[in-house]
């Protein structure tokens, strides 16, 4: 994560530097990212960027974290739904919001594709617990079903990031319903 000096910059300056780094990651991929080129394009000296980040991996981690924050902001918190129809409508709306974000900011795709682990666990947990409360999830093997839910959502996201338009929300919904019924 960024060094303390980075957080002393204005939010606009932080966003500007991360936007340049995000664009570089999007164009060049993880292996091709150059901290020096990012510094040059951001109008920073090479030594200045190393005052903000402890190397390439630190800068890329900051880009990933910023991308996850943007996704979380687009999705918002999962709102508990009163019935299955409203639940699936909210799921579809969240999917549409995520698609809109990625259409508006396609450069986020590469950063998100390199994220390992969670980042949206709170949202997934709330989503799953709402499904449980509505009786959509078989109580048998609940813990494993929760893990499978996260894996299904992560796999759908990975496929969509790699090949936009390849996974429909209806397909994800169908797989979740099948797994949840046990």
């Amino acid at each position: 994560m960024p060094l303390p000096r980075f957080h002393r910059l204005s939010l606009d300056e932080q966003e500007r530097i991360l936007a340049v780094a995000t664009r570089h990651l999007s164009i060049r991929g993880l292996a091709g990212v150059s901290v020096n080129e990012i510094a040059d394009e951001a109008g920073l000296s090479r030594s200045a960027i190393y005052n903000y980040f402890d190397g390439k991996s630190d800068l890329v981690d900051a880009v990933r974290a910023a991308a996850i924050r943007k996704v979380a902001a687009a999705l918002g918190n999962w709102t508990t739904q009163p019935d299955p129809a409203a639940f699936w409508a909210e799921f579809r709306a969240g999917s549409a919001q995520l698609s809109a974000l990625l259409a508006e900011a396609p450069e986020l795709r590469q950063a998100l594709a390199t994220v390992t682990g969670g980042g949206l666990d709170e949202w997934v947990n709330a989503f799953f617990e709402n499904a449980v409360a509505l009786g959509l999830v078989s109580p048998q093997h609940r813990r494993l079903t929760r893990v499978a839910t996260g894996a299904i959502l992560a796999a759908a996201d990975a496929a969509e990031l790699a090949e936009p338009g390849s996974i429909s929300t209806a397909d994800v919904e169908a797989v979740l319903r099948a797994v949840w019924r046990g």
Side-chain angles (χ1 to χ4, degrees), residues 157-169:
D157 289 346
E160 182 61 25
L161 288 169
E163 190 178 338
S166 64
I167 302 292
S168 74
T169 303

Side-chain angles (χ1 to χ4, degrees), residues 2 5-6 9 12 20-21 34 50 70 73 78 81 90 100 105 107 123 126 132 142 159:
R5 286 185 181 157
F6 181 75
L9 296 171
D12 286 345
V20 170
S34 164
Y50 285 101
K70 288 178 181 179
W78 176 262
Q81 299 302 311
E90 182 69 11
E107 67 278 4
W123 189 94
V132 169
R142 180 177 169 175

Side-chain angles (χ1 to χ4, degrees), residues 25-92:
L25 181 61
S26 175
I27 293 167
R28 293 182 171 78
L30 188 56
V33 168
S34 164
V35 175
N36 292 339
E37 288 179 13
I38 292 168
D40 289 344
E41 186 177 326
L44 300 170
S45 68
R46 290 183 172 118
S47 62
I49 202 154
Y50 285 101
N51 284 321
Y52 302 139
F53 302 97
D54 194 22
K56 175 180 168 176
S57 65
D58 193 37
L59 177 56
V60 170
D61 286 346
V63 168
R64 289 174 179 142
I68 288 290
R69 284 193 302 275
K70 288 178 181 179
V71 168
L75 287 174
N77 294 326
W78 176 262
T79 305
T80 301
Q81 299 302 311
D83 59 64
F87 175 88
W88 290 114
E90 182 69 11
F91 177 71
R92 289 182 213 106

Side-chain angles (χ1 to χ4, degrees), residues 122-137:
E122 201 172 296
W123 189 94
V124 174
N125 285 336
F127 169 74
F128 183 76
E129 291 305 320
N130 191 186
V132 169
L134 293 172
L136 297 172
V137 177

